[in-house]
mmCIF file with all atom_site columns, all heavy atoms in Angstrom:
data_model
loop_
_atom_site.group_PDB
_atom_site.id
_atom_site.type_symbol
_atom_site.label_atom_id
_atom_site.label_alt_id
_atom_site.label_comp_id
_atom_site.label_asym_id
_atom_site.label_entity_id
_atom_site.label_seq_id
_atom_site.pdbx_PDB_ins_code
_atom_site.Cartn_x
_atom_site.Cartn_y
_atom_site.Cartn_z
_atom_site.occupancy
_atom_site.B_iso_or_equiv
_atom_site.pdbx_formal_charge
_atom_site.auth_seq_id
_atom_site.auth_comp_id
_atom_site.auth_asym_id
_atom_site.auth_atom_id
_atom_site.pdbx_PDB_model_num
ATOM 1   N N   . ARG A 1 68 ? 22.493 -11.241 -1.172  1.00 87.00 ? 1208 ARG A N   1
ATOM 2   C CA  . ARG A 1 68 ? 21.795 -12.474 -0.811  1.00 87.00 ? 1208 ARG A CA  1
ATOM 3   C C   . ARG A 1 68 ? 20.626 -12.215 0.126   1.00 87.00 ? 1208 ARG A C   1
ATOM 4   O O   . ARG A 1 68 ? 19.696 -13.029 0.199   1.00 87.00 ? 1208 ARG A O   1
ATOM 5   C CB  . ARG A 1 68 ? 22.775 -13.457 -0.156  1.00 87.00 ? 1208 ARG A CB  1
ATOM 6   C CG  . ARG A 1 68 ? 23.337 -12.958 1.165   1.00 87.00 ? 1208 ARG A CG  1
ATOM 7   C CD  . ARG A 1 68 ? 24.483 -13.813 1.643   1.00 87.00 ? 1208 ARG A CD  1
ATOM 8   N NE  . ARG A 1 68 ? 24.995 -13.390 2.947   1.00 87.00 ? 1208 ARG A NE  1
ATOM 9   C CZ  . ARG A 1 68 ? 25.840 -12.381 3.128   1.00 87.00 ? 1208 ARG A CZ  1
ATOM 10  N NH1 . ARG A 1 68 ? 26.248 -11.683 2.073   1.00 87.00 ? 1208 ARG A NH1 1
ATOM 11  N NH2 . ARG A 1 68 ? 26.257 -12.058 4.338   1.00 87.00 ? 1208 ARG A NH2 1
ATOM 12  N N   . HIS A 1 69 ? 20.643 -11.100 0.857   1.00 86.00 ? 1209 HIS A N   1
ATOM 13  C CA  . HIS A 1 69 ? 19.559 -10.815 1.799   1.00 86.00 ? 1209 HIS A CA  1
ATOM 14  C C   . HIS A 1 69 ? 18.277 -10.399 1.075   1.00 86.00 ? 1209 HIS A C   1
ATOM 15  O O   . HIS A 1 69 ? 17.189 -10.594 1.608   1.00 86.00 ? 1209 HIS A O   1
ATOM 16  C CB  . HIS A 1 69 ? 19.993 -9.727  2.778   1.00 86.00 ? 1209 HIS A CB  1
ATOM 17  C CG  . HIS A 1 69 ? 21.197 -10.096 3.580   1.00 86.00 ? 1209 HIS A CG  1
ATOM 18  N ND1 . HIS A 1 69 ? 21.187 -11.137 4.497   1.00 86.00 ? 1209 HIS A ND1 1
ATOM 19  C CD2 . HIS A 1 69 ? 22.456 -9.590  3.612   1.00 86.00 ? 1209 HIS A CD2 1
ATOM 20  C CE1 . HIS A 1 69 ? 22.388 -11.243 5.060   1.00 86.00 ? 1209 HIS A CE1 1
ATOM 21  N NE2 . HIS A 1 69 ? 23.174 -10.317 4.541   1.00 86.00 ? 1209 HIS A NE2 1
ATOM 22  N N   . ASP A 1 70 ? 18.400 -9.836  -0.107  1.00 84.00 ? 1210 ASP A N   1
ATOM 23  C CA  . ASP A 1 70 ? 17.231 -9.475  -0.910  1.00 84.00 ? 1210 ASP A CA  1
ATOM 24  C C   . ASP A 1 70 ? 16.939 -10.638 -1.852  1.00 84.00 ? 1210 ASP A C   1
ATOM 25  O O   . ASP A 1 70 ? 17.380 -10.678 -3.005  1.00 84.00 ? 1210 ASP A O   1
ATOM 26  C CB  . ASP A 1 70 ? 17.511 -8.191  -1.686  1.00 84.00 ? 1210 ASP A CB  1
ATOM 27  C CG  . ASP A 1 70 ? 16.257 -7.601  -2.315  1.00 84.00 ? 1210 ASP A CG  1
ATOM 28  O OD1 . ASP A 1 70 ? 15.206 -8.281  -2.288  1.00 84.00 ? 1210 ASP A OD1 1
ATOM 29  O OD2 . ASP A 1 70 ? 16.316 -6.470  -2.821  1.00 84.00 ? 1210 ASP A OD2 1
ATOM 30  N N   . ARG A 1 71 ? 16.180 -11.603 -1.359  1.00 84.00 ? 1211 ARG A N   1
ATOM 31  C CA  . ARG A 1 71 ? 15.963 -12.837 -2.112  1.00 84.00 ? 1211 ARG A CA  1
ATOM 32  C C   . ARG A 1 71 ? 15.128 -12.603 -3.366  1.00 84.00 ? 1211 ARG A C   1
ATOM 33  O O   . ARG A 1 71 ? 15.290 -13.312 -4.368  1.00 84.00 ? 1211 ARG A O   1
ATOM 34  C CB  . ARG A 1 71 ? 15.303 -13.887 -1.217  1.00 84.00 ? 1211 ARG A CB  1
ATOM 35  C CG  . ARG A 1 71 ? 16.126 -14.267 -0.004  1.00 84.00 ? 1211 ARG A CG  1
ATOM 36  C CD  . ARG A 1 71 ? 15.538 -15.485 0.695   1.00 84.00 ? 1211 ARG A CD  1
ATOM 37  N NE  . ARG A 1 71 ? 15.580 -16.663 -0.142  1.00 84.00 ? 1211 ARG A NE  1
ATOM 38  C CZ  . ARG A 1 71 ? 16.606 -17.488 -0.244  1.00 84.00 ? 1211 ARG A CZ  1
ATOM 39  N NH1 . ARG A 1 71 ? 17.723 -17.238 0.445   1.00 84.00 ? 1211 ARG A NH1 1
ATOM 40  N NH2 . ARG A 1 71 ? 16.560 -18.551 -1.017  1.00 84.00 ? 1211 ARG A NH2 1
ATOM 41  N N   . THR A 1 72 ? 14.252 -11.611 -3.332  1.00 83.00 ? 1212 THR A N   1
ATOM 42  C CA  . THR A 1 72 ? 13.468 -11.309 -4.532  1.00 83.00 ? 1212 THR A CA  1
ATOM 43  C C   . THR A 1 72 ? 14.367 -10.821 -5.658  1.00 83.00 ? 1212 THR A C   1
ATOM 44  O O   . THR A 1 72 ? 14.232 -11.234 -6.814  1.00 83.00 ? 1212 THR A O   1
ATOM 45  C CB  . THR A 1 72 ? 12.403 -10.253 -4.207  1.00 83.00 ? 1212 THR A CB  1
ATOM 46  O OG1 . THR A 1 72 ? 11.582 -10.727 -3.141  1.00 83.00 ? 1212 THR A OG1 1
ATOM 47  C CG2 . THR A 1 72 ? 11.542 -9.962  -5.420  1.00 83.00 ? 1212 THR A CG2 1
ATOM 48  N N   . LYS A 1 73 ? 15.307 -9.954  -5.316  1.00 85.00 ? 1213 LYS A N   1
ATOM 49  C CA  . LYS A 1 73 ? 16.246 -9.462  -6.334  1.00 85.00 ? 1213 LYS A CA  1
ATOM 50  C C   . LYS A 1 73 ? 17.159 -10.587 -6.811  1.00 85.00 ? 1213 LYS A C   1
ATOM 51  O O   . LYS A 1 73 ? 17.502 -10.651 -8.004  1.00 85.00 ? 1213 LYS A O   1
ATOM 52  C CB  . LYS A 1 73 ? 17.060 -8.308  -5.764  1.00 85.00 ? 1213 LYS A CB  1
ATOM 53  C CG  . LYS A 1 73 ? 17.987 -7.651  -6.776  1.00 85.00 ? 1213 LYS A CG  1
ATOM 54  C CD  . LYS A 1 73 ? 18.777 -6.519  -6.154  1.00 85.00 ? 1213 LYS A CD  1
ATOM 55  C CE  . LYS A 1 73 ? 17.848 -5.390  -5.744  1.00 85.00 ? 1213 LYS A CE  1
ATOM 56  N NZ  . LYS A 1 73 ? 18.606 -4.217  -5.224  1.00 85.00 ? 1213 LYS A NZ  1
ATOM 57  N N   . VAL A 1 74 ? 17.558 -11.470 -5.909  1.00 86.00 ? 1214 VAL A N   1
ATOM 58  C CA  . VAL A 1 74 ? 18.402 -12.602 -6.310  1.00 86.00 ? 1214 VAL A CA  1
ATOM 59  C C   . VAL A 1 74 ? 17.663 -13.504 -7.292  1.00 86.00 ? 1214 VAL A C   1
ATOM 60  O O   . VAL A 1 74 ? 18.226 -13.955 -8.298  1.00 86.00 ? 1214 VAL A O   1
ATOM 61  C CB  . VAL A 1 74 ? 18.855 -13.394 -5.067  1.00 86.00 ? 1214 VAL A CB  1
ATOM 62  C CG1 . VAL A 1 74 ? 19.551 -14.693 -5.482  1.00 86.00 ? 1214 VAL A CG1 1
ATOM 63  C CG2 . VAL A 1 74 ? 19.798 -12.564 -4.217  1.00 86.00 ? 1214 VAL A CG2 1
ATOM 64  N N   . MET A 1 75 ? 16.382 -13.753 -7.027  1.00 86.00 ? 1215 MET A N   1
ATOM 65  C CA  . MET A 1 75 ? 15.616 -14.606 -7.940  1.00 86.00 ? 1215 MET A CA  1
ATOM 66  C C   . MET A 1 75 ? 15.437 -13.935 -9.293  1.00 86.00 ? 1215 MET A C   1
ATOM 67  O O   . MET A 1 75 ? 15.500 -14.601 -10.336 1.00 86.00 ? 1215 MET A O   1
ATOM 68  C CB  . MET A 1 75 ? 14.255 -14.920 -7.317  1.00 86.00 ? 1215 MET A CB  1
ATOM 69  C CG  . MET A 1 75 ? 14.307 -15.861 -6.125  1.00 86.00 ? 1215 MET A CG  1
ATOM 70  S SD  . MET A 1 75 ? 15.088 -17.447 -6.516  1.00 86.00 ? 1215 MET A SD  1
ATOM 71  C CE  . MET A 1 75 ? 13.995 -18.072 -7.776  1.00 86.00 ? 1215 MET A CE  1
ATOM 72  N N   . ARG A 1 76 ? 15.218 -12.621 -9.300  1.00 86.00 ? 1216 ARG A N   1
ATOM 73  C CA  . ARG A 1 76 ? 15.100 -11.930 -10.585 1.00 86.00 ? 1216 ARG A CA  1
ATOM 74  C C   . ARG A 1 76 ? 16.417 -11.992 -11.352 1.00 86.00 ? 1216 ARG A C   1
ATOM 75  O O   . ARG A 1 76 ? 16.424 -12.137 -12.584 1.00 86.00 ? 1216 ARG A O   1
ATOM 76  C CB  . ARG A 1 76 ? 14.696 -10.468 -10.367 1.00 86.00 ? 1216 ARG A CB  1
ATOM 77  C CG  . ARG A 1 76 ? 13.259 -10.278 -9.998  1.00 86.00 ? 1216 ARG A CG  1
ATOM 78  C CD  . ARG A 1 76 ? 12.769 -8.885  -10.388 1.00 86.00 ? 1216 ARG A CD  1
ATOM 79  N NE  . ARG A 1 76 ? 13.665 -7.833  -9.900  1.00 86.00 ? 1216 ARG A NE  1
ATOM 80  C CZ  . ARG A 1 76 ? 13.551 -7.231  -8.735  1.00 86.00 ? 1216 ARG A CZ  1
ATOM 81  N NH1 . ARG A 1 76 ? 12.568 -7.589  -7.914  1.00 86.00 ? 1216 ARG A NH1 1
ATOM 82  N NH2 . ARG A 1 76 ? 14.383 -6.282  -8.369  1.00 86.00 ? 1216 ARG A NH2 1
ATOM 83  N N   . LEU A 1 77 ? 17.528 -11.875 -10.636 1.00 86.00 ? 1217 LEU A N   1
ATOM 84  C CA  . LEU A 1 77 ? 18.829 -11.964 -11.292 1.00 86.00 ? 1217 LEU A CA  1
ATOM 85  C C   . LEU A 1 77 ? 19.078 -13.364 -11.833 1.00 86.00 ? 1217 LEU A C   1
ATOM 86  O O   . LEU A 1 77 ? 19.612 -13.522 -12.948 1.00 86.00 ? 1217 LEU A O   1
ATOM 87  C CB  . LEU A 1 77 ? 19.928 -11.560 -10.313 1.00 86.00 ? 1217 LEU A CB  1
ATOM 88  C CG  . LEU A 1 77 ? 21.370 -11.615 -10.831 1.00 86.00 ? 1217 LEU A CG  1
ATOM 89  C CD1 . LEU A 1 77 ? 21.520 -10.747 -12.065 1.00 86.00 ? 1217 LEU A CD1 1
ATOM 90  C CD2 . LEU A 1 77 ? 22.345 -11.174 -9.740  1.00 86.00 ? 1217 LEU A CD2 1
ATOM 91  N N   . ARG A 1 78 ? 18.699 -14.370 -11.095 1.00 85.00 ? 1218 ARG A N   1
ATOM 92  C CA  . ARG A 1 78 ? 18.860 -15.748 -11.584 1.00 85.00 ? 1218 ARG A CA  1
ATOM 93  C C   . ARG A 1 78 ? 17.993 -16.007 -12.807 1.00 85.00 ? 1218 ARG A C   1
ATOM 94  O O   . ARG A 1 78 ? 18.420 -16.675 -13.761 1.00 85.00 ? 1218 ARG A O   1
ATOM 95  C CB  . ARG A 1 78 ? 18.538 -16.729 -10.455 1.00 85.00 ? 1218 ARG A CB  1
ATOM 96  C CG  . ARG A 1 78 ? 19.534 -16.675 -9.304  1.00 85.00 ? 1218 ARG A CG  1
ATOM 97  C CD  . ARG A 1 78 ? 19.067 -17.434 -8.075  1.00 85.00 ? 1218 ARG A CD  1
ATOM 98  N NE  . ARG A 1 78 ? 19.068 -18.872 -8.278  1.00 85.00 ? 1218 ARG A NE  1
ATOM 99  C CZ  . ARG A 1 78 ? 18.813 -19.758 -7.313  1.00 85.00 ? 1218 ARG A CZ  1
ATOM 100 N NH1 . ARG A 1 78 ? 18.541 -19.328 -6.082  1.00 85.00 ? 1218 ARG A NH1 1
ATOM 101 N NH2 . ARG A 1 78 ? 18.841 -21.047 -7.566  1.00 85.00 ? 1218 ARG A NH2 1
ATOM 102 N N   . GLU A 1 79 ? 16.781 -15.473 -12.788 1.00 84.00 ? 1219 GLU A N   1
ATOM 103 C CA  . GLU A 1 79 ? 15.925 -15.594 -13.973 1.00 84.00 ? 1219 GLU A CA  1
ATOM 104 C C   . GLU A 1 79 ? 16.541 -14.864 -15.155 1.00 84.00 ? 1219 GLU A C   1
ATOM 105 O O   . GLU A 1 79 ? 16.517 -15.355 -16.297 1.00 84.00 ? 1219 GLU A O   1
ATOM 106 C CB  . GLU A 1 79 ? 14.543 -15.022 -13.659 1.00 84.00 ? 1219 GLU A CB  1
ATOM 107 C CG  . GLU A 1 79 ? 13.704 -15.877 -12.740 1.00 84.00 ? 1219 GLU A CG  1
ATOM 108 C CD  . GLU A 1 79 ? 13.186 -17.115 -13.448 1.00 84.00 ? 1219 GLU A CD  1
ATOM 109 O OE1 . GLU A 1 79 ? 12.645 -16.986 -14.563 1.00 84.00 ? 1219 GLU A OE1 1
ATOM 110 O OE2 . GLU A 1 79 ? 13.331 -18.213 -12.890 1.00 84.00 ? 1219 GLU A OE2 1
ATOM 111 N N   . TYR A 1 80 ? 17.097 -13.686 -14.902 1.00 84.00 ? 1220 TYR A N   1
ATOM 112 C CA  . TYR A 1 80 ? 17.722 -12.905 -15.967 1.00 84.00 ? 1220 TYR A CA  1
ATOM 113 C C   . TYR A 1 80 ? 18.896 -13.665 -16.580 1.00 84.00 ? 1220 TYR A C   1
ATOM 114 O O   . TYR A 1 80 ? 19.047 -13.734 -17.809 1.00 84.00 ? 1220 TYR A O   1
ATOM 115 C CB  . TYR A 1 80 ? 18.167 -11.553 -15.395 1.00 84.00 ? 1220 TYR A CB  1
ATOM 116 C CG  . TYR A 1 80 ? 19.035 -10.735 -16.307 1.00 84.00 ? 1220 TYR A CG  1
ATOM 117 C CD1 . TYR A 1 80 ? 18.493 -10.030 -17.371 1.00 84.00 ? 1220 TYR A CD1 1
ATOM 118 C CD2 . TYR A 1 80 ? 20.418 -10.657 -16.092 1.00 84.00 ? 1220 TYR A CD2 1
ATOM 119 C CE1 . TYR A 1 80 ? 19.299 -9.273  -18.206 1.00 84.00 ? 1220 TYR A CE1 1
ATOM 120 C CE2 . TYR A 1 80 ? 21.224 -9.907  -16.908 1.00 84.00 ? 1220 TYR A CE2 1
ATOM 121 C CZ  . TYR A 1 80 ? 20.666 -9.211  -17.967 1.00 84.00 ? 1220 TYR A CZ  1
ATOM 122 O OH  . TYR A 1 80 ? 21.466 -8.472  -18.786 1.00 84.00 ? 1220 TYR A OH  1
ATOM 123 N N   . LEU A 1 81 ? 19.739 -14.256 -15.734 1.00 84.00 ? 1221 LEU A N   1
ATOM 124 C CA  . LEU A 1 81 ? 20.894 -14.988 -16.245 1.00 84.00 ? 1221 LEU A CA  1
ATOM 125 C C   . LEU A 1 81 ? 20.479 -16.268 -16.975 1.00 84.00 ? 1221 LEU A C   1
ATOM 126 O O   . LEU A 1 81 ? 21.091 -16.642 -17.989 1.00 84.00 ? 1221 LEU A O   1
ATOM 127 C CB  . LEU A 1 81 ? 21.839 -15.330 -15.092 1.00 84.00 ? 1221 LEU A CB  1
ATOM 128 C CG  . LEU A 1 81 ? 22.520 -14.136 -14.396 1.00 84.00 ? 1221 LEU A CG  1
ATOM 129 C CD1 . LEU A 1 81 ? 23.357 -14.612 -13.218 1.00 84.00 ? 1221 LEU A CD1 1
ATOM 130 C CD2 . LEU A 1 81 ? 23.369 -13.353 -15.381 1.00 84.00 ? 1221 LEU A CD2 1
ATOM 131 N N   . SER A 1 82 ? 19.447 -16.937 -16.471 1.00 84.00 ? 1222 SER A N   1
ATOM 132 C CA  . SER A 1 82 ? 19.014 -18.175 -17.125 1.00 84.00 ? 1222 SER A CA  1
ATOM 133 C C   . SER A 1 82 ? 18.425 -17.897 -18.505 1.00 84.00 ? 1222 SER A C   1
ATOM 134 O O   . SER A 1 82 ? 18.729 -18.600 -19.474 1.00 84.00 ? 1222 SER A O   1
ATOM 135 C CB  . SER A 1 82 ? 17.999 -18.904 -16.241 1.00 84.00 ? 1222 SER A CB  1
ATOM 136 O OG  . SER A 1 82 ? 16.844 -18.101 -16.046 1.00 84.00 ? 1222 SER A OG  1
ATOM 137 N N   . TRP A 1 83 ? 17.587 -16.861 -18.618 1.00 82.00 ? 1223 TRP A N   1
ATOM 138 C CA  . TRP A 1 83 ? 17.030 -16.526 -19.929 1.00 82.00 ? 1223 TRP A CA  1
ATOM 139 C C   . TRP A 1 83 ? 18.102 -15.983 -20.865 1.00 82.00 ? 1223 TRP A C   1
ATOM 140 O O   . TRP A 1 83 ? 18.022 -16.169 -22.088 1.00 82.00 ? 1223 TRP A O   1
ATOM 141 C CB  . TRP A 1 83 ? 15.910 -15.504 -19.781 1.00 82.00 ? 1223 TRP A CB  1
ATOM 142 C CG  . TRP A 1 83 ? 14.627 -16.108 -19.302 1.00 82.00 ? 1223 TRP A CG  1
ATOM 143 C CD1 . TRP A 1 83 ? 14.010 -15.895 -18.114 1.00 82.00 ? 1223 TRP A CD1 1
ATOM 144 C CD2 . TRP A 1 83 ? 13.803 -17.032 -20.013 1.00 82.00 ? 1223 TRP A CD2 1
ATOM 145 N NE1 . TRP A 1 83 ? 12.851 -16.632 -18.024 1.00 82.00 ? 1223 TRP A NE1 1
ATOM 146 C CE2 . TRP A 1 83 ? 12.698 -17.342 -19.179 1.00 82.00 ? 1223 TRP A CE2 1
ATOM 147 C CE3 . TRP A 1 83 ? 13.900 -17.642 -21.262 1.00 82.00 ? 1223 TRP A CE3 1
ATOM 148 C CZ2 . TRP A 1 83 ? 11.703 -18.223 -19.573 1.00 82.00 ? 1223 TRP A CZ2 1
ATOM 149 C CZ3 . TRP A 1 83 ? 12.894 -18.521 -21.649 1.00 82.00 ? 1223 TRP A CZ3 1
ATOM 150 C CH2 . TRP A 1 83 ? 11.808 -18.806 -20.803 1.00 82.00 ? 1223 TRP A CH2 1
ATOM 151 N N   . LYS A 1 84 ? 19.103 -15.317 -20.331 1.00 81.00 ? 1224 LYS A N   1
ATOM 152 C CA  . LYS A 1 84 ? 20.205 -14.867 -21.176 1.00 81.00 ? 1224 LYS A CA  1
ATOM 153 C C   . LYS A 1 84 ? 20.971 -16.057 -21.733 1.00 81.00 ? 1224 LYS A C   1
ATOM 154 O O   . LYS A 1 84 ? 21.399 -16.033 -22.899 1.00 81.00 ? 1224 LYS A O   1
ATOM 155 C CB  . LYS A 1 84 ? 21.139 -13.966 -20.353 1.00 81.00 ? 1224 LYS A CB  1
ATOM 156 C CG  . LYS A 1 84 ? 22.266 -13.351 -21.154 1.00 81.00 ? 1224 LYS A CG  1
ATOM 157 C CD  . LYS A 1 84 ? 23.089 -12.421 -20.299 1.00 81.00 ? 1224 LYS A CD  1
ATOM 158 C CE  . LYS A 1 84 ? 24.236 -11.838 -21.124 1.00 81.00 ? 1224 LYS A CE  1
ATOM 159 N NZ  . LYS A 1 84 ? 23.747 -11.042 -22.270 1.00 81.00 ? 1224 LYS A NZ  1
ATOM 160 N N   . ASP A 1 85 ? 21.127 -17.112 -20.938 1.00 81.00 ? 1225 ASP A N   1
ATOM 161 C CA  . ASP A 1 85 ? 21.769 -18.320 -21.428 1.00 81.00 ? 1225 ASP A CA  1
ATOM 162 C C   . ASP A 1 85 ? 20.927 -18.989 -22.509 1.00 81.00 ? 1225 ASP A C   1
ATOM 163 O O   . ASP A 1 85 ? 21.464 -19.524 -23.483 1.00 81.00 ? 1225 ASP A O   1
ATOM 164 C CB  . ASP A 1 85 ? 22.004 -19.281 -20.256 1.00 81.00 ? 1225 ASP A CB  1
ATOM 165 C CG  . ASP A 1 85 ? 22.803 -20.497 -20.675 1.00 81.00 ? 1225 ASP A CG  1
ATOM 166 O OD1 . ASP A 1 85 ? 24.012 -20.355 -20.910 1.00 81.00 ? 1225 ASP A OD1 1
ATOM 167 O OD2 . ASP A 1 85 ? 22.207 -21.590 -20.767 1.00 81.00 ? 1225 ASP A OD2 1
ATOM 168 N N   . VAL A 1 86 ? 19.603 -18.923 -22.348 1.00 84.00 ? 1226 VAL A N   1
ATOM 169 C CA  . VAL A 1 86 ? 18.716 -19.482 -23.374 1.00 84.00 ? 1226 VAL A CA  1
ATOM 170 C C   . VAL A 1 86 ? 18.890 -18.746 -24.694 1.00 84.00 ? 1226 VAL A C   1
ATOM 171 O O   . VAL A 1 86 ? 19.039 -19.352 -25.770 1.00 84.00 ? 1226 VAL A O   1
ATOM 172 C CB  . VAL A 1 86 ? 17.257 -19.422 -22.894 1.00 84.00 ? 1226 VAL A CB  1
ATOM 173 C CG1 . VAL A 1 86 ? 16.304 -19.764 -24.028 1.00 84.00 ? 1226 VAL A CG1 1
ATOM 174 C CG2 . VAL A 1 86 ? 17.037 -20.382 -21.735 1.00 84.00 ? 1226 VAL A CG2 1
ATOM 175 N N   . ARG A 1 87 ? 18.876 -17.417 -24.637 1.00 81.00 ? 1227 ARG A N   1
ATOM 176 C CA  . ARG A 1 87 ? 19.029 -16.640 -25.871 1.00 81.00 ? 1227 ARG A CA  1
ATOM 177 C C   . ARG A 1 87 ? 20.390 -16.879 -26.517 1.00 81.00 ? 1227 ARG A C   1
ATOM 178 O O   . ARG A 1 87 ? 20.517 -16.912 -27.747 1.00 81.00 ? 1227 ARG A O   1
ATOM 179 C CB  . ARG A 1 87 ? 18.849 -15.152 -25.558 1.00 81.00 ? 1227 ARG A CB  1
ATOM 180 C CG  . ARG A 1 87 ? 17.432 -14.772 -25.196 1.00 81.00 ? 1227 ARG A CG  1
ATOM 181 C CD  . ARG A 1 87 ? 17.267 -13.258 -25.178 1.00 81.00 ? 1227 ARG A CD  1
ATOM 182 N NE  . ARG A 1 87 ? 18.057 -12.656 -24.114 1.00 81.00 ? 1227 ARG A NE  1
ATOM 183 C CZ  . ARG A 1 87 ? 17.599 -12.424 -22.898 1.00 81.00 ? 1227 ARG A CZ  1
ATOM 184 N NH1 . ARG A 1 87 ? 16.349 -12.758 -22.591 1.00 81.00 ? 1227 ARG A NH1 1
ATOM 185 N NH2 . ARG A 1 87 ? 18.365 -11.869 -21.983 1.00 81.00 ? 1227 ARG A NH2 1
ATOM 186 N N   . LYS A 1 88 ? 21.422 -17.056 -25.676 1.00 81.00 ? 1228 LYS A N   1
ATOM 187 C CA  . LYS A 1 88 ? 22.750 -17.297 -26.223 1.00 81.00 ? 1228 LYS A CA  1
ATOM 188 C C   . LYS A 1 88 ? 22.803 -18.630 -26.969 1.00 81.00 ? 1228 LYS A C   1
ATOM 189 O O   . LYS A 1 88 ? 23.367 -18.717 -28.073 1.00 81.00 ? 1228 LYS A O   1
ATOM 190 C CB  . LYS A 1 88 ? 23.769 -17.290 -25.084 1.00 81.00 ? 1228 LYS A CB  1
ATOM 191 C CG  . LYS A 1 88 ? 25.196 -17.523 -25.534 1.00 81.00 ? 1228 LYS A CG  1
ATOM 192 C CD  . LYS A 1 88 ? 26.151 -17.485 -24.350 1.00 81.00 ? 1228 LYS A CD  1
ATOM 193 C CE  . LYS A 1 88 ? 27.576 -17.756 -24.802 1.00 81.00 ? 1228 LYS A CE  1
ATOM 194 N NZ  . LYS A 1 88 ? 28.529 -17.745 -23.652 1.00 81.00 ? 1228 LYS A NZ  1
ATOM 195 N N   . LYS A 1 89 ? 22.189 -19.667 -26.400 1.00 84.00 ? 1229 LYS A N   1
ATOM 196 C CA  . LYS A 1 89 ? 22.203 -20.979 -27.063 1.00 84.00 ? 1229 LYS A CA  1
ATOM 197 C C   . LYS A 1 89 ? 21.371 -20.979 -28.333 1.00 84.00 ? 1229 LYS A C   1
ATOM 198 O O   . LYS A 1 89 ? 21.755 -21.585 -29.339 1.00 84.00 ? 1229 LYS A O   1
ATOM 199 C CB  . LYS A 1 89 ? 21.687 -22.039 -26.087 1.00 84.00 ? 1229 LYS A CB  1
ATOM 200 C CG  . LYS A 1 89 ? 22.652 -22.330 -24.935 1.00 84.00 ? 1229 LYS A CG  1
ATOM 201 C CD  . LYS A 1 89 ? 22.126 -23.433 -24.043 1.00 84.00 ? 1229 LYS A CD  1
ATOM 202 C CE  . LYS A 1 89 ? 23.114 -23.749 -22.930 1.00 84.00 ? 1229 LYS A CE  1
ATOM 203 N NZ  . LYS A 1 89 ? 22.634 -24.828 -22.041 1.00 84.00 ? 1229 LYS A NZ  1
ATOM 204 N N   . VAL A 1 90 ? 20.243 -20.293 -28.294 1.00 86.00 ? 1230 VAL A N   1
ATOM 205 C CA  . VAL A 1 90 ? 19.410 -20.222 -29.495 1.00 86.00 ? 1230 VAL A CA  1
ATOM 206 C C   . VAL A 1 90 ? 20.137 -19.480 -30.608 1.00 86.00 ? 1230 VAL A C   1
ATOM 207 O O   . VAL A 1 90 ? 20.085 -19.870 -31.786 1.00 86.00 ? 1230 VAL A O   1
ATOM 208 C CB  . VAL A 1 90 ? 18.067 -19.542 -29.157 1.00 86.00 ? 1230 VAL A CB  1
ATOM 209 C CG1 . VAL A 1 90 ? 17.282 -19.230 -30.428 1.00 86.00 ? 1230 VAL A CG1 1
ATOM 210 C CG2 . VAL A 1 90 ? 17.239 -20.429 -28.247 1.00 86.00 ? 1230 VAL A CG2 1
ATOM 211 N N   . LYS A 1 91 ? 20.848 -18.418 -30.252 1.00 82.00 ? 1231 LYS A N   1
ATOM 212 C CA  . LYS A 1 91 ? 21.595 -17.678 -31.270 1.00 82.00 ? 1231 LYS A CA  1
ATOM 213 C C   . LYS A 1 91 ? 22.718 -18.528 -31.843 1.00 82.00 ? 1231 LYS A C   1
ATOM 214 O O   . LYS A 1 91 ? 22.991 -18.479 -33.061 1.00 82.00 ? 1231 LYS A O   1
ATOM 215 C CB  . LYS A 1 91 ? 22.163 -16.407 -30.644 1.00 82.00 ? 1231 LYS A CB  1
ATOM 216 C CG  . LYS A 1 91 ? 22.852 -15.502 -31.643 1.00 82.00 ? 1231 LYS A CG  1
ATOM 217 C CD  . LYS A 1 91 ? 23.335 -14.226 -30.992 1.00 82.00 ? 1231 LYS A CD  1
ATOM 218 C CE  . LYS A 1 91 ? 24.023 -13.335 -32.015 1.00 82.00 ? 1231 LYS A CE  1
ATOM 219 N NZ  . LYS A 1 91 ? 24.520 -12.082 -31.402 1.00 82.00 ? 1231 LYS A NZ  1
ATOM 220 N N   . GLU A 1 92 ? 23.376 -19.326 -31.007 1.00 83.00 ? 1232 GLU A N   1
ATOM 221 C CA  . GLU A 1 92 ? 24.430 -20.200 -31.514 1.00 83.00 ? 1232 GLU A CA  1
ATOM 222 C C   . GLU A 1 92 ? 23.869 -21.240 -32.472 1.00 83.00 ? 1232 GLU A C   1
ATOM 223 O O   . GLU A 1 92 ? 24.490 -21.547 -33.494 1.00 83.00 ? 1232 GLU A O   1
ATOM 224 C CB  . GLU A 1 92 ? 25.137 -20.886 -30.339 1.00 83.00 ? 1232 GLU A CB  1
ATOM 225 C CG  . GLU A 1 92 ? 25.975 -19.940 -29.495 1.00 83.00 ? 1232 GLU A CG  1
ATOM 226 C CD  . GLU A 1 92 ? 26.600 -20.636 -28.306 1.00 83.00 ? 1232 GLU A CD  1
ATOM 227 O OE1 . GLU A 1 92 ? 26.275 -21.836 -28.093 1.00 83.00 ? 1232 GLU A OE1 1
ATOM 228 O OE2 . GLU A 1 92 ? 27.400 -20.000 -27.577 1.00 83.00 ? 1232 GLU A OE2 1
#
Side-chain angles (χ1 to χ4, degrees):
R1208 64 191 183 279
H1209 300 295
D1210 192 351
R1211 299 190 64 86
T1212 303
K1213 185 180 294 184
V1214 171
M1215 289 303 299
R1216 285 205 309 270
L1217 179 57
R1218 293 168 70 174
E1219 287 287 311
Y1220 170 77
L1221 294 176
S1222 62
W1223 283 113
K1224 184 177 179 62
D1225 186 73
V1226 170
R1227 290 192 294 268
K1228 180 179 178 181
K1229 290 183 178 180
V1230 170
K1231 185 177 180 181
E1232 290 177 354

